[in-house]
């Protein structure tokens, strides 16, 4: 089993739609979780950290489910500019620092 | 401005040559990483370093070498033993259990 797994997509959604991505991780001792956004031919950039209590930033909501070992990202009212690849990132070691990336989920928002 | 800088942005290598990619950060981060990304694929970890003068192999270390003589610098050498080096190389840095910050990447092409 991969350390971090994501559905590669692509997810093609109309503008204004709500879309959700899930990401599963294998190491139950993982301590920190993040969602990154990567535009074509660019470096990944942090979208948001994921906290145990869940967190929201405008149209974006991230959730962590430790029992089932997955994190999720919900995007409401999708914009054309949300089109990108969304990467799930997990620090699996707890005491150390070895960030592990999922392969990413591609989102295409269409008119 | 604090940040992480990779150079060069584009690099061309002849077969059989070693080339070195530069990565410098002034964020005072302890951990630094090198990832490789192939077209349409996720990020794969080549090497990472959690402290000066120490580094560990990632998932695809064969054909690569690194050094960490200074906290700010983590150069990656792509050796002639790497049979398929054409890819997008990303350097990142982080502190313990925090998000990673990326450089803008180096596109390496074998000619």
């Amino acid at each position: 089993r991969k350390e971090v797994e994501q559905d590669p997509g692509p997810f093609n959604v109309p503008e204004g739609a709500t879309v959700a991505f899930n990401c599963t991780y294998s190491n139950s001792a993982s301590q920190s979780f993040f969602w990154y956004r990567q535009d074509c031919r660019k470096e990944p950039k942090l979208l948001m950290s994921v906290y145990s209590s869940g967190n929201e930033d405008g149209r974006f909501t991230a959730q962590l489910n430790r029992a089932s070992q997955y994190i999720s990202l919900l995007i409401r009212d999708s914009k054309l500019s949300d089109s990108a690849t969304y990467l799930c990132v997990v620090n699996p070691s707890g005491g150390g620092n070895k960030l592990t990336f999922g392969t990413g989920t591609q989102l295409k928002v269409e008119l | 401005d604090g940040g992480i800088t990779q150079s060069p942005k584009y690099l061309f290598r002849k077969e059989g040559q070693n080339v070195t990619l530069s990565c410098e950060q002034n964020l005072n981060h302890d951990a630094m990483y090198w990832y490789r990304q192939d077209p349409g694929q996720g990020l794969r970890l080549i090497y990472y370093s959690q402290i000066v003068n120490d580094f560990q192999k990632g998932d695809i270390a064969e054909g690569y070498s690194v050094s960490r003589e200074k906290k700010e610098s983590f150069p990656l050498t792509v050796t002639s033993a790497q049979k398929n080096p054409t890819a997008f190389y990303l350097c990142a840095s982080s502190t313990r259990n925090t998000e990673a910050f990326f450089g803008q990447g180096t596109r390496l092409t074998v000619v």
Side-chain angles (χ1 to χ4, degrees):
Chain A
R1 182 183 175 185
K2 288 184 180 177
E3 287 185 82
V4 180
E5 289 198 75
Q6 293 183 252
D7 181 343
F11 283 60
N12 297 320
V13 302
E15 205 173 14
T18 295
V19 61
F21 309 135
N22 280 341
C23 165
T24 58
Y25 60 94
S26 60
N27 187 335
S28 60
S30 297
Q31 294 292 317
S32 48
F33 311 88
F34 310 95
W35 282 103
Y36 277 71
R37 169 190 170 131
Q38 186 176 25
D39 293 291
C40 189
R41 301 178 69 82
K42 298 284 190 181
E43 76 275 20
K45 293 187 177 177
L46 178 69
L47 179 65
M48 56 199 307
S49 302
V50 186
Y51 304 119
S52 296
S53 55
N55 48 305
E56 187 174 310
D57 182 4
R59 298 182 292 109
F60 298 85
T61 300
Q63 300 257 326
L64 168 63
N65 185 318
R66 284 194 183 273
S68 299
Q69 294 180 212
Y70 76 84
I71 66 173
S72 64
L73 177 68
L74 182 76
I75 306 175
R76 291 181 297 278
D77 188 23
S78 300
K79 311 291 184 192
L80 294 174
S81 58
D82 293 333
S83 297
T85 297
Y86 291 84
L87 301 167
C88 168
V89 184
V90 175
N91 185 340
S93 62
N97 218 12
K98 183 192 169 191
L99 295 175
T100 302
F101 283 73
T103 53
T105 298
Q106 188 178 11
L107 171 66
K108 296 181 180 179
V109 181
E110 303 164 331
L111 285 171
Chain B
D1 284 336
I4 182 164
T5 302
Q6 288 185 244
S7 62
K9 191 171 181 180
Y10 299 96
L11 184 59
F12 298 89
R13 189 194 96 167
K14 292 182 181 178
E15 293 210 23
Q17 269 186 340
N18 292 356
V19 291
T20 297
L21 283 58
S22 169
C23 179
E24 304 276 334
Q25 55 100 357
N26 60 5
L27 299 166
N28 199 33
H29 286 170
D30 289 316
M32 296 187 75
Y33 313 80
W34 275 105
Y35 293 91
R36 169 180 171 143
Q37 188 173 37
D38 293 283
Q41 304 295 314
L43 277 69
R44 292 186 290 167
L45 183 63
I46 304 172
Y47 269 98
Y48 66 106
S49 167
Q50 298 193 37
I51 197 168
V52 175
N53 291 324
D54 187 46
F55 49 82
Q56 287 81 40
K57 292 182 180 180
D59 302 317
I60 55 164
E62 186 175 350
Y64 300 98
S65 66
V66 294
S67 62
R68 187 85 187 275
E69 297 176 1
K70 298 187 299 181
K71 188 175 186 178
E72 302 80 19
S73 179
F74 192 41
L76 173 74
T77 296
V78 184
T79 75
S80 57
Q82 172 48 240
K83 297 306 177 189
N84 186 22
T86 295
F88 186 38
Y89 291 87
L90 287 158
C91 180
S93 69
S94 72
T95 56
R96 186 175 291 274
N97 281 335
T98 67
E99 69 270 22
F101 293 84
F102 283 86
Q104 291 188 310
T106 294
R107 293 197 179 275
L108 174 63
T109 303
V110 173
V111 296

